[in-house]
Amino acid sequence: MTAPGRRSSTFTRLLRHGFTDPSAAGRLLDLDDLAPLRDDAVLLDALGATADPDLALRGLVRLVEAQPPADRPALTTTLLAAKPFRDRLLGVLGASEALADHLARHPHDWQALVTYEAADLHPGVAEFERGLAEAVDPVTLRVAYRRCLLAIAARDVCGSAAVAQTAAELADLATATLRAALRIATAAAPEDAARCRLAVIAMGKCGGNELNYVSDVDVIFVGEAADGTEEAQALQAATRLASHLMRICSETTVEGVIWPVDANLRPEGRNGPLVRTLSSHLAYYQRWAKTWEFQALLKARPVAGDAELGAAYVDAVSPLVWQAAERENFVPDVQKMRRRVVDNIPAGHVERELKLGPGGLRDVEFAVQLLQLVHGRSDAGLHSGTTLVALEALAAGGYVGRADAAQLDDAYRFLRAMEHRIQLYRLRRTHLVPEGEADLRRLGRSLGLRTDPVNELNREWKRHAAVVRRLHEKLFYRPLLDAVAQLAPGEIRLSPKAAGQRLEALGYADPAAALRHLEALSSGVSRKAAIQRTLLPVLLGWFADSADPDAGLLGFRKVSDALGKTPWYLRLLRDEGAAAENLARVLSAGRLAPDLLLRAPEAVAILGDPEGLKPRGQDHLEQEVLAAVGRAGGAEQAVAAARGVRRRELFRTAAADLIASYGTEDNPREADPGALVDRVGRAVTDLNAATIAGALRAAVRAEWGEELPTRFAVIGMGRFGGHELGYGSDADVLFVHEPREGVDEQEAAKAANRVVTEMRRLLQLPTADPPLLIDADLRPEGKSGPMVRTLKSYEAYYRRWSLVWESQALLRAEPMAGDRELGQRFVELVDPLRYPMEGLGEEAVREIRRLKARMETERLPRGADPTLHAKLGRGGLSDVEWTVQLLQMRHGWAEPGLRTTRTREALAAAHAAGLIGTEEAQTLDEAWVLATRVRNAVMLVRGRAGDTFPSEPRELAAVGRYLGYAPGHVGEMVDDYRRITRRARAVMEELFYGA
């Protein structure tokens, strides 16, 4: 029995050596089987140096117990006498539970770690082939494989092999294993082997000599007929051999699996034949292959089977790889490929993903491969399948900044080391950083972090991931600036040709102009140029993420030229995290927002203020506009000030809309398109109402001072009254007045008409600001009727002459400017017309249907596609609005919720009242929102209003990006539009026409 004092002393000693369960460790050390080792201080030190002393001791006990009694002294004696062996064995046992299991099953395999010759420090394929030479079936192959893996893991955890060397050794072991598996398959079917030549081409990490401990081994099989054999028979034989090889490695046996062999990178993927001839491979790659397939071929390397055929394959496909950048779809493919693929990662895993998450291994590998594809066509020095070798070559050639390459190299090595140690523990394929405290502690200690392993590990991991995230985009763009900058002696720059190639690959249509802009922005030694050189690499990436990178860069140059001397501009972009990205999104998304910004570039300050993108309400805007009008010297100056406010607010609204539609790195895109439409509609309506109020005040002051001889109100109609204006909408209005007490009616009418004429003139004056067009054609008698009427005149007309279409138009009537009390009395006057008691009669319903049918045949522009016209086409705005308005006129008298000028509110009220089913209401709402967004998108992209999708490819792509479609998916966008509006039309025909 152990004395209490000795127990306490042992407990403390074990705790000091890193054991987390000293009591259990003490009991294990007291076992009779460990008697020769128990009191050896050197052993305790060696256990304490491992990643997990508790795990190492448990593994050691299992290994000793598994030895035949006669062999135990040899193990314990060697363990005590040979420090290198002790470090290797305990290091493996403390890092890998799976390899401890292997040693317990195969207790003599510890001897593989005893002697190390010089060649053992850097084994290659030949050494591993010797280690697998005696394997004759899948089971013995697995045992021999893990024996070799023991030696690799020992060198890894003891630090005698760096992470890149370990990855290369794992790839060499995989090569030897594929050869052994093919040898076993050939022995099982010698007649098949005689009929064909079969080459195994390694792809992915195996092909790149940078394999993980546990990873799919990607391969492609190439087959040819042996002399005297028909090709079809030869390919069948080769397919059987290849299939058997895959099963030998992949199937589960009593010794588990080695790793899955994955042949899905072959032409046509899993749908294509497993084995093809060389000519068949070439025919596919020349005609059908996509950019990502050439990216995958960067790592193609013959590893097993017919060496001559394998070499011929690589020689044949290699030129195609380096010509990929000249292919027609390379740029859109690259734009798609550059987007990080995190959508398929479960939300709870994104932050723990070492490979695919933001700042992960995939970011580094993809960036390096893309730069190889762009520049490897003219520089053979970049033709390496190994990530770190290629990164070094990119830096040496000036394609990547040396400092950036060094940081990226360091981060990649650390992340790969983490990946290796995570997989080594249980030899399972995973890229998730564990969450458990014990797992994180073991992982941290295995990487040499001993003081506070968990916190140190998290800190180092986040630091390296942040470096990758920061450099991932800059890697593409910083050398472009060096290409046009003054460099220190000895520095290497991109040639103009190489810089142009890179810009083309990133979507710039005019690389020469882009380089001129970069030179103008970043050349010189001023502080301004230095800040631009810091900003531009990131901005160029954001521009390239848009449908028109050239426009984004040109716009940025113009804004910078206009504001370059102001002290706050570059400071805003540099220091306010969101400002630079917001500006890049706005400048590269179309013409409208940049045009508005360039008329008053100081509005860029809006983009850096967290509150800056929120719309101002009508009262706030009207107060600002009326104050500006009051300060102005004359009517024209007053309205110029009001239109300036409108231009600024239009920019604010457009910028907020674009940023919410695109999303940013920190804020995902707005998921509810209806919310975006409502926000734009309200904001544009409010700012137009405030502008009209300002024009009215200016017109009155210029001739009458503070008071007009007649009370005057502006009634919003159409989309204006419905708070649904788009960027390119006119303001539909009615004008109403009422003579003040004691004023002659004719004098009042003349004053009212002069005010209307002056307002319209002022709002359409040619200036740098966009005009506001006022349309009064919905007034009684249309263009033939008086422009402005008294309230009594409206009452008399509507009582005697009103037509049903006028009652329908009045559904949108809402006071917008002028005398509020008069405006409210106008609304009370028209309410009985638009919401008639007991609803519309059948004759009126027939008349509305007849008008709608006539409009469909007469108003659609000649040559327009009725399935794609957002306003008048099938299932477009008109269909939805007439359907909703008919429901309002039939049931508004009884359902208060229907008494609104807003289409979506009325539709929701109709649904709540049971007048329309849930599915039908959703269908109509979805179509209305989509059609509205298409019109907004066309205006944002083209700078002028339109009701159909643009025909120019870049403009169409920009509309797609605004609507949430990735590059290359405009066809899907148009198909979706047709599908959604077709369904809306079917609902409309049932509800409106009663079909």
Side-chain angles (χ1 to χ4, degrees), residues 84-234:
F85 167 69
R86 183 168 60 244
D87 291 343
R88 289 192 288 270
L89 177 63
L90 296 181
V92 168
L93 293 175
S96 179
E97 190 174 68
L99 288 178
D101 291 344
H102 172 82
L103 285 169
R105 288 197 308 274
H106 304 280
H108 291 106
D109 277 3
W110 63 268
Q111 293 172 19
L113 302 177
V114 173
T115 57
Y116 268 38
E117 303 296 335
D120 292 326
L121 293 175
H122 300 291
V125 176
E127 287 76 20
F128 290 126
E129 281 194 279
R130 283 197 293 274
L132 303 178
E134 295 180 7
V136 294
D137 56 38
V139 172
T140 54
L141 181 60
R142 281 153 177 70
V143 175
Y145 174 84
R146 288 214 163 71
R147 191 181 304 122
C148 293
L149 198 61
L150 267 173
I152 294 175
R155 283 187 292 276
D156 181 14
V157 298
C158 292
S160 54
V163 64
Q165 175 64 28
T166 299
E169 289 180 19
L170 289 165
D172 286 344
L173 176 56
T175 296
T177 306
L178 289 169
R179 291 179 183 178
L182 184 55
R183 169 171 51 78
I184 294 169
T186 299
E191 64 286 352
D192 280 344
R195 291 192 185 104
C196 66
R197 299 166 62 201
L198 177 65
V200 184
I201 312 297
M203 304 287 285
K205 281 188 160 50
C206 183
N209 280 299
E210 50 188 15
L211 199 59
N212 304 328
Y213 276 102
V214 187
S215 174
D216 288 0
V217 170
D218 296 307
V219 298
I220 284 176
F221 295 107
V222 189
E224 295 288 352
D227 291 341
T229 306
E230 290 185 6
E231 185 177 285
Q233 288 183 327

Side-chain angles (χ1 to χ4, degrees), residues 33 108 121 295 330 417 554 566 659 718 840:
D33 289 335
H108 291 106
L121 293 175
Q295 183 183 7
F330 183 72
L554 175 60
T566 57
I659 291 162
L840 284 179

Side-chain angles (χ1 to χ4, degrees), residues 4 76 143 145 148 212 335 403 411 461 482 490 572 619 630 740 763 842 884 945 958 967:
T76 54
V143 175
Y145 174 84
C148 293
N212 304 328
Q335 287 182 319
W461 171 33
D482 292 342
L572 170 81
D619 291 343
R740 295 186 186 277
L763 289 172
E842 283 307 310
V884 172

Side-chain angles (χ1 to χ4, degrees), residues 9 65 88 100 219 287 317 326 348 364 392 439 459 516 588 652 738 800 814 853 895 942:
S9 169
E65 289 176 342
R88 289 192 288 270
V219 298
R287 190 168 183 188
V317 299
E326 298 165 10
V364 182
E392 184 180 3
D439 290 328
R459 192 161 52 245
R516 287 197 300 274
S588 57
R652 187 194 310 277
E738 185 177 68
R800 294 185 63 189
E814 183 170 309
E895 294 291 342
R942 304 181 69 191

